[in-house]
Amino acid sequence: MSIRIGIYGYGNLGRGVELAIQQNPDMTAVGVFTRRDPNTVKTLTGIPVYAANDVLKMQKDIDVMILCGGSATDLPTQTPELAQYFNVVDSFDTHAKIPAHVANVQAVAENAKTTALISAGWDPGMFSLARLYGGAVLPEGKDYTFWGKGVSQGHSEAIRRIDGVADAKQYTIPIEKAVRAVRAGENPELATAEKHERECFVVVKEGADKARIENEIKSMPNYFAEYNTTVHFISQEELNEKHGGLPHGGVVIRSGATGIDKQHKHVVEYSLKLDSNAEFTSSVLVACARAVYRLNQGGMYGCKTLFDVPPAYLSVKSREELLKTLL
Amino acid sequence: MSIRIGIYGYGNLGRGVELAIQQNPDMTAVGVFTRRDPNTVKTLTGIPVYAANDVLKMQKDIDVMILCGGSATDLPTQTPELAQYFNVVDSFDTHAKIPAHVANVQAVAENAKTTALISAGWDPGMFSLARLYGGAVLPEGKDYTFWGKGVSQGHSEAIRRIDGVADAKQYTIPIEKAVRAVRAGENPELATAEKHERECFVVVKEGADKARIENEIKSMPNYFAEYNTTVHFISQEELNEKHGGLPHGGVVIRSGATGIDKQHKHVVEYSLKLDSNAEFTSSVLVACARAVYRLNQGGMYGCKTLFDVPPAYLSVKSREELLKTLL
C-alpha cells in the first residue's frame, strides 16, 4: 500500500516535493493545498489542487502532510495547527527558534496521536546529523560548518529591498584557506569574516546611484557588515543568464583526536554540492515523510527531528536488503 | 549513574576502547577480559584485567560488553555466546556474512532480553550510514565507496605470508581520476582496477629472491591480481620509521539527480581521514555502547545495527542540548 502524501504550499519547495515523490515508488502525491485560488494553480505532474481551507475534508485520504511554507510566518502557526489532524513534516529552519517550535508542536501532536517531524532538510537536517554523529564518535574535537558556494535567498532579498535595486543574487562563499586549515586538523579559531565571504550581483534601476547602493550593501548589519563583500553591477540579461539557478551546498567537519597523548588526529567530513537547494531539501522532506508514517504506525507520537529517527525508517529498502547491500 | 563497560579482548581495538571511554564522562571501564594469563597483561590506564573464563562472574557489574576480537574466528562465536548474558557491541566486518551473523545473534538476544549492536565501526558502520542516508534522500543515483589512502592489514598480512618476506605494509590508494569523475557527478562505471591501486613496502629476508616475491604479490588472486600494484623493497628500519602507523580512511559518495528532466545534479560526500584506524573504530564502538544501553533500557531487545539506532541515542548530550546546539 502506497503512503499517501499531501503537499501544503506550492512554491519551489512544494514543486520539489511533487517531483521527489515520483522517485519513491512506495508513495503517492494526493494533491497540493494552496491559499491561492486552486483554479489558478497548475501542478507540474498534473496532481490535483485543493484550497487550503478544505484540508480537513481530506483527513482520511492523507497519511502524511508535507508543509512547504516558509519559516518566518507560515510554519510557526501551520505546523502546530495541522499536527492536530495530520502526521506532518516541515523544514523549519530558524535555528534559534527550534526549541520553541518543538515545544509548540509536541503538545499538539502528542495529544492528537500524530507524529510531526520538524526542521528537516539539509541545514537543519542532514548537516545536523553530521554534527551529531561527528561529536558522538569524536567527543574531544571541534565542529565546523561552512556554507556554499551557493545562493542565499535571504541575502539576495535583503539587497533587492535597497532603493534603486531592480534585482540581485548573493553568493555565500566559504573561504578556502579556512576550510584547508580545518581539513588539515589544525582546529583554528575562526572569526565570522574568516569563514565566509559574500559576492553580490546587482541590477540597478535606471539612474540609480551605484556608489550609494554598494555602500548600503556593504554596511548592512547582520547580513554584510561583518564580511568581506564584493559587489558587481551587471545587466538583468546577464543576471538571468549566468545566475538563474539556486545552487547551494557546504560542508560539516568534525576534527578530533584520540590516543594516550591525543597524538592521532581524525577528520570527518560531510559535504553537499547541490544544483538545486529547493529540490534537494524537498527530497529530504519526502524521505522523512516515509519515516513519519512508520513512526506513527509504531505508536511513536509527538514532535520528532531527524535525531530521533532510526536511519532505516528513511529508506524504501527492507531490513534484509539494507543488511545485505548497504551495511 | 555511569554506564559500566567491559572490554572483551585486548588488542589494538581493546586498547582503543579503553582510551575512548576516558573521553566519555558518562561511562566507566570496568575492566578487560582476556584469554591470556591476566597477570601478563598490563592495561594502558590501569583498569583491571580478568580471565575471559571468569566473565560470567561479572554479569551484574557490566552494562555493556564491547567485543574487541576479530571477525574471522572470534566474533562469529563470541557475540552470540556473550549476548546470552550481556548487552554487546561488536565490529563484525565480513560484509558477506553479516545477514547470517545477525540471524545468529538475534535469536539469542531476543530470548535473553539483551541488546546487541553488531557491525559497528566505520565500514561497516559510519560508511553504511552514509550509504543509507544518501540513497534515501536521492533515490535516483549511484553509490561509490573509495577506501584509503590507508593501510590494509589483511593485505599486509597476505604479503607477510610469502616465503622470504620478513615484514610488509600495504597501502590501498583510491585512484584520484575516478574520485574526481564521481565528484563531478559523471556517474562513471568503474572496474575494480579503476577505483583503487595498491602500494606495497616489503622487507625481505637475507638472500631472498625479490623478483619472485614481487611476482607472487602481483599475481595473488583476490588480493592483488586485479589491481595495479607497485612493490617497493625497503629496509626494516625504513619500514618502522616511515610506515609504522595504521592510518586509513576513505569516502562514500552518492551522486543523484532531481528535477522534471533530472537536470539538477547533487553530490553528497562523507569522508574520513584517520590517523589510527583502530582508535577511530573503537571510538565508534564506545558511542554505540551508549546507544545499546539506552535501547536496552527502553526495552528494545535483539540484534541491531547502526541502521536501527536513533542518532540521539549515540550522543552524551541531552535532547534539549541537541536541539539547541546541533540541530
Side-chain angles (χ1 to χ4, degrees):
Chain A
M1 212 194 64
S2 201
I3 304 172
R4 300 164 305 166
I5 309 287
I7 303 170
Y8 198 85
Y10 197 64
N12 282 337
L13 211 53
R15 282 191 287 272
V17 167
E18 181 187 6
L19 295 176
I21 290 170
Q22 293 203 313
Q23 296 195 357
N24 289 277
D26 58 336
M27 299 191 193
T28 310
V30 173
V32 161
F33 295 85
T34 179
R35 286 173 297 194
R36 292 174 271 171
D37 173 355
N39 295 312
T40 66
V41 176
K42 205 172 140 27
T43 56
L44 290 172
T45 65
I47 59 170
V49 182
Y50 303 100
N53 283 334
D54 291 337
V55 71
L56 291 190
K57 295 181 189 160
M58 305 285 288
Q59 204 184 348
K60 296 237 179 309
D61 303 302
I62 289 169
D63 295 312
V64 183
M65 186 72 83
I66 301 181
L67 276 60
C68 298
S71 294
T73 55
D74 298 331
L75 300 175
T77 54
Q78 286 175 1
T79 308
E81 170 74 21
L82 288 167
Q84 293 178 75
Y85 312 105
F86 297 95
N87 298 312
V88 298
V89 178
D90 83 17
S91 64
F92 185 77
D93 67 357
T94 314
H95 288 260
K97 295 184 179 167
I98 286 174
H101 191 54
V102 167
N104 291 340
V105 176
Q106 174 70 22
V108 169
E110 237 180 1
N111 188 49
K113 296 196 173 177
T114 60
T115 305
L117 196 160
I118 61 109
S119 298
W122 61 275
D123 198 358
M126 303 312 292
F127 271 18
S128 319
L129 285 172
R131 287 186 286 262
L132 190 159
Y133 281 118
V137 301
L138 292 173
E140 298 196 5
K142 259 175 91 76
D143 273 335
Y144 295 87
T145 302
F146 294 96
W147 296 275
K149 182 180 176 173
V151 173
S152 163
Q153 301 201 63
H155 289 79
S156 301
E157 277 162 37
I159 299 172
R160 286 194 288 263
R161 284 194 295 265
I162 293 174
D163 189 47
V165 171
D167 203 350
K169 267 285 167 67
Q170 191 268 187
Y171 293 90
T172 304
I173 304 171
I175 292 174
E176 199 45 54
K177 191 185 152 201
V179 180
R180 254 202 320 270
V182 171
R183 279 195 183 127
E186 294 170 16
N187 282 8
E189 293 289 338
L190 297 167
T192 300
E194 291 172 319
K195 291 182 70 186
H196 297 92
E197 56 189 323
R198 302 197 173 280
E199 190 172 23
C200 315
F201 294 87
V202 182
V203 181
V204 296
K205 292 175 183 161
E206 217 176 298
D209 179 349
K210 290 181 182 174
R212 178 200 36 94
I213 289 171
E214 179 163 347
N215 186 53
E216 278 196 42
I217 294 171
K218 289 186 172 176
S219 59
M220 197 185 296
N222 302 318
Y223 285 86
F224 295 99
E226 306 147 277
Y227 298 88
N228 290 321
T229 301
T230 314
V231 177
H232 308 279
F233 292 102
I234 60 172
S235 67
Q236 184 73 56
E237 292 68 41
E238 191 179 343
L239 190 83
N240 296 347
E241 195 181 307
K242 295 191 186 159
H243 307 284
L246 291 170
H248 218 315
V251 55
V252 172
I253 299 175
R254 179 72 178 182
S255 169
T258 64
I260 194 120
D261 301 312
K262 312 260 180 291
Q263 71 275 37
H264 295 131
K265 288 183 181 175
H266 307 284
V267 178
V268 181
E269 183 168 338
Y270 180 80
S271 79
L272 295 173
K273 214 167 61 197
L274 313 173
D275 275 358
S276 165
N277 186 347
E279 286 179 8
F280 185 79
T281 301
S282 302
S283 296
V284 177
L285 293 177
V286 168
C288 287
R290 175 183 296 120
V292 160
Y293 177 76
R294 293 174 176 176
L295 288 167
N296 191 260
Q297 294 276 310
M300 285 166 272
Y301 310 133
C303 185
K304 312 291 180 190
T305 73
L306 273 165
F307 292 166
D308 305 307
V309 176
Y313 279 39
L314 295 164
S315 173
V316 69
K317 297 190 183 209
S318 69
R319 179 174 167 86
E320 289 65 37
E321 229 180 326
L322 290 175
L323 293 178
K324 214 171 148 178
T325 63
L326 293 183
L327 192 68
Chain B
M1 213 195 62
S2 201
I3 303 171
R4 300 166 303 167
I5 308 289
I7 301 170
Y8 198 85
Y10 197 62
N12 281 338
L13 211 54
R15 282 191 287 273
V17 167
E18 181 187 6
L19 295 176
I21 290 169
Q22 293 203 314
Q23 297 196 357
N24 289 277
D26 58 337
M27 298 190 193
T28 311
V30 172
V32 161
F33 295 86
T34 179
R35 285 173 296 194
R36 290 175 273 172
D37 174 357
N39 295 310
T40 66
V41 176
K42 207 175 137 29
T43 56
L44 291 172
T45 65
I47 59 170
V49 182
Y50 303 100
N53 282 336
D54 291 338
V55 70
L56 290 190
K57 296 182 190 159
M58 304 285 288
Q59 204 184 349
K60 295 239 178 307
D61 304 302
I62 288 168
D63 294 313
V64 183
M65 187 73 83
I66 300 182
L67 276 58
C68 298
S71 295
T73 56
D74 298 331
L75 300 176
T77 55
Q78 286 176 0
T79 308
E81 171 74 20
L82 288 167
Q84 294 178 74
Y85 312 104
F86 296 95
N87 298 312
V88 298
V89 177
D90 83 18
S91 64
F92 185 77
D93 67 357
T94 314
H95 287 262
K97 295 183 179 169
I98 287 173
H101 191 54
V102 168
N104 291 340
V105 177
Q106 174 70 21
V108 169
E110 236 181 3
N111 188 49
K113 296 199 174 177
T114 60
T115 305
L117 196 159
I118 61 111
S119 298
W122 61 274
D123 197 358
M126 304 311 292
F127 271 18
S128 319
L129 285 173
R131 287 186 285 260
L132 191 160
Y133 281 120
V137 302
L138 292 173
E140 299 195 4
K142 257 173 93 75
D143 273 335
Y144 295 88
T145 302
F146 294 95
W147 295 275
K149 181 180 174 175
V151 174
S152 163
Q153 301 201 64
H155 288 80
S156 301
E157 277 163 38
I159 298 172
R160 287 195 287 264
R161 283 194 295 265
I162 293 174
D163 189 45
V165 171
D167 204 351
K169 269 284 169 69
Q170 191 269 183
Y171 293 91
T172 304
I173 304 171
I175 293 175
E176 200 44 54
K177 191 186 151 199
V179 181
R180 255 202 319 272
V182 172
R183 279 196 181 124
E186 293 171 16
N187 282 8
E189 293 291 339
L190 296 168
T192 301
E194 291 172 319
K195 290 182 72 185
H196 297 93
E197 56 188 325
R198 302 198 174 279
E199 191 172 22
C200 314
F201 294 87
V202 182
V203 180
V204 295
K205 292 178 186 160
E206 218 177 296
D209 179 350
K210 291 182 182 174
R212 181 203 29 98
I213 290 171
E214 178 162 346
N215 185 53
E216 277 196 42
I217 294 172
K218 289 187 173 176
S219 60
M220 198 185 295
N222 301 318
Y223 284 84
F224 295 100
E226 305 147 278
Y227 299 87
N228 290 320
T229 301
T230 314
V231 177
H232 308 279
F233 291 101
I234 61 173
S235 67
Q236 184 73 55
E237 293 67 41
E238 190 179 343
L239 190 82
N240 296 348
E241 197 180 305
K242 295 191 185 157
H243 307 285
L246 291 170
H248 218 315
V251 55
V252 172
I253 300 175
R254 179 73 179 183
S255 168
T258 65
I260 194 120
D261 301 311
K262 313 258 181 288
Q263 72 273 38
H264 295 131
K265 288 183 180 175
H266 308 284
V267 178
V268 181
E269 184 168 336
Y270 180 81
S271 79
L272 295 173
K273 214 167 60 197
L274 312 174
D275 275 358
S276 165
N277 186 348
E279 286 179 7
F280 185 79
T281 301
S282 301
S283 297
V284 177
L285 293 178
V286 169
C288 288
R290 176 183 294 119
V292 160
Y293 177 76
R294 293 174 176 175
L295 287 167
N296 191 260
Q297 293 277 308
M300 284 165 274
Y301 310 133
C303 185
K304 312 289 180 191
T305 73
L306 274 165
F307 292 166
D308 305 308
V309 176
Y313 279 38
L314 295 163
S315 174
V316 68
K317 299 192 180 207
S318 69
R319 179 173 167 87
E320 290 64 39
E321 229 179 326
L322 289 176
L323 293 178
K324 216 171 146 176
T325 63
L326 293 183
L327 194 70

